[in-house]
Amino acid sequence: MPFAFIDYFTLTVVFLFTQEERTVLESIYTPEELSISSDYTVTFHLNDPGSSESFVVHITWPKKYPFETPSIDLDAFCNRHLPQTLKEKIINDLNDLAKLNTGEPLTFTLIEHLRENAASYFEEIKEARSAQCVKSNAETVSDFIPVLAKFQTKEKPVKGPALTKSQKRRQLNRLDASGNLPRGWNWVDIVKHLRQTGSQEVENM
């Protein structure tokens, strides 16, 4: 029976601890910042939910809390913008802090640690986001280079021989009022060509 008595005593102390700590936490933080579920999972919002400089931490009290360290996670969907390295760093820091304070109410200590280090956490989030933007831009450029090279190497149309100034002037003088060449403008050239070819045929005969 002494073991049963000790266990009952421990559970009673645990219950009193958790009830008192719950009351204290709910009096310090607003409902928007902190909530505690029926299974003693503390949900704390660091900064306004939904912003890039915010995240949510879950601190779940085990049955023998505070004589056992709580379970801590950052698995909420709204934390998807957090780099994995930062998540691991935060959880490791909180776990180390919880081990140092085992045996006494420590949720307030964990939350204040988050608040005190919020600036450094958010700076890491910004740096990770900037690095991701640079990487995305580099990938976009690398994808565009082959397309650009294809257009640059496309064969240009072959232009005819350039006209001299006198040839251009003669063409302009031939244009009528509407800007078109008059009918029969090249007949002289055709007749001249026929005369030349005709004379050659006579000589060949």
Side-chain angles (χ1 to χ4, degrees), residues 62-79:
K63 289 183 178 180
K64 294 184 179 181
Y65 173 84
F67 302 104
E68 291 181 2
T69 56
S71 173
I72 303 167
D73 73 74
L74 292 164
D75 297 334
F77 179 75
C78 57
N79 292 338

Side-chain angles (χ1 to χ4, degrees), residues 113-182:
H113 176 82
L114 292 174
R115 289 161 62 94
E116 291 171 2
N117 292 275
S120 63
Y121 296 152
F122 298 148
E123 186 62 30
E124 288 192 42
I125 294 174
K126 287 181 180 178
E127 291 176 358
R129 188 164 60 245
S130 298
Q132 183 61 37
C133 289
V134 171
K135 181 180 178 182
S136 299
N137 291 337
E139 291 175 351
T140 301
V141 171
S142 63
D143 292 339
F144 181 71
I145 287 176
V147 178
L148 181 62
K150 181 179 179 181
F151 280 101
Q152 289 178 338
T153 56
K154 187 177 180 181
E155 293 184 1
K156 297 182 179 180
V158 179
K159 296 182 179 180
L163 298 177
T164 63
K165 289 184 178 180
S166 59
Q167 289 174 328
K168 292 179 180 179
R169 192 178 301 110
R170 284 198 298 271
Q171 280 193 351
L172 290 174
N173 292 335
R174 292 175 181 175
L175 299 179
D176 57 18
S178 61
N180 297 318
L181 291 168

Side-chain angles (χ1 to χ4, degrees), residues 11-109:
L11 292 176
T12 302
V13 172
V14 166
F15 177 77
L16 294 176
F17 265 133
T18 54
Q19 290 303 309
E20 182 179 0
E21 185 171 8
R22 178 172 188 161
T23 302
V24 171
L25 291 173
E26 290 177 341
S27 67
I28 295 174
Y29 304 105
T30 65
E32 290 75 22
E33 292 177 310
L34 179 140
S35 62
I36 303 176
S37 64
S38 58
D39 63 347
Y40 293 105
T41 295
V42 179
T43 301
F44 180 74
H45 295 266
L46 188 63
N47 275 11
D48 296 331
S51 68
S52 59
E53 295 186 355
S54 68
F55 59 83
V56 175
V57 61
H58 293 142
I59 304 172
T60 304
W61 298 343
K63 289 183 178 180
K64 294 184 179 181
Y65 173 84
F67 302 104
E68 291 181 2
T69 56
S71 173
I72 303 167
D73 73 74
L74 292 164
D75 297 334
F77 179 75
C78 57
N79 292 338
R80 62 189 183 281
H81 64 291
L82 294 181
Q84 185 60 34
T85 53
L86 179 58
K87 286 184 179 181
E88 294 173 357
K89 176 183 177 181
I90 293 173
I91 291 175
N92 290 336
D93 289 348
L94 294 180
N95 282 332
D96 291 342
L97 192 59
K99 291 176 182 177
L100 292 175
N101 293 274
T102 301
E104 60 185 63
L106 52 85
T107 302
F108 173 80
T109 303

